[in-house]
Amino acid sequence: MLMRLSILALALPACLLTGSGAQALEIWQYDRLAAQDQSRFVSGLVHGAMDILTKAGHTDQGQKVAHLFPDPDRATATPLFKAALAQERAVDDKRAIEQPDATRLEVEDAMLELFKKNGIALPDSFYIVNRDFRARLPVKRL
């Protein structure tokens, strides 16, 4: 068991730090990031959403994002984001047990659900707004 955890501990940072083609961050991976990296990641999603909407000429929806997250750098602390992530995490955990081969849910899924519930529509390109994200700090141990 210890060997398995050691392998995961080595593999996870590699997938977060390399340009592996992964374009979104699965919730279980996000949960292992240091708090500062989690904050950077979610801030990138908020800024990315506003940028996508502004460039598409939907400034009204970009303003809705800004209203939901007045301080994007503290987005991880907002009750809205915490609730959306907790809900998606629960669905993901249950699905992982019932369907081990199913695709895991991503932090972007939680954010898109939150936006959707607040009348904000984003294109699928939202999934790649953080494509260049790299963890700066060591990941949490299991």
Side-chain angles (χ1 to χ4, degrees):
M1 179 74 167
L2 186 56
M3 176 78 135
R4 191 180 252 169
L5 292 176
S6 297
I7 291 170
L8 179 60
L10 291 174
L12 183 61
C15 76
L16 291 174
L17 296 174
T18 63
S20 63
Q23 297 177 346
L25 188 63
E26 293 177 353
I27 294 170
W28 71 271
Q29 293 171 319
Y30 170 85
D31 288 341
R32 283 157 179 73
L33 290 176
Q36 294 91 336
D37 283 331
Q38 288 178 343
S39 181
R40 284 183 39 250
F41 187 81
V42 175
S43 175
L45 293 179
V46 173
H47 286 291
M50 288 189 285
D51 189 48
I52 288 171
L53 293 167
T54 300
K55 286 180 180 176
H58 301 291
T59 54
D60 58 324
Q61 293 208 351
Q63 290 173 346
K64 285 183 182 181
V65 172
H67 180 72
L68 287 174
F69 298 103
D71 184 356
D73 295 331
R74 296 187 37 80
T76 56
T78 63
L80 285 173
F81 176 72
K82 287 181 178 184
L85 187 61
Q87 182 176 352
E88 291 296 303
R89 184 183 293 114
V91 170
D92 188 50
D93 290 346
K94 181 179 178 187
R95 198 167 76 173
I97 292 168
E98 294 173 354
Q99 302 171 22
D101 293 335
T103 303
R104 301 298 300 263
L105 294 178
E106 299 157 337
V107 179
E108 290 83 349
D109 294 317
M111 191 64 84
L112 283 171
E113 276 300 310
L114 172 63
F115 289 150
K116 185 177 175 182
K117 286 179 182 177
N118 286 279
I120 302 165
L122 282 159
D124 286 342
S125 62
F126 177 70
Y127 281 94
I128 62 168
V129 298
N130 270 344
R131 68 182 167 270
D132 295 327
F133 175 83
R134 301 292 178 264
R136 292 181 184 164
L137 300 169
V139 295
K140 298 172 191 170
R141 299 222 177 233
L142 296 176

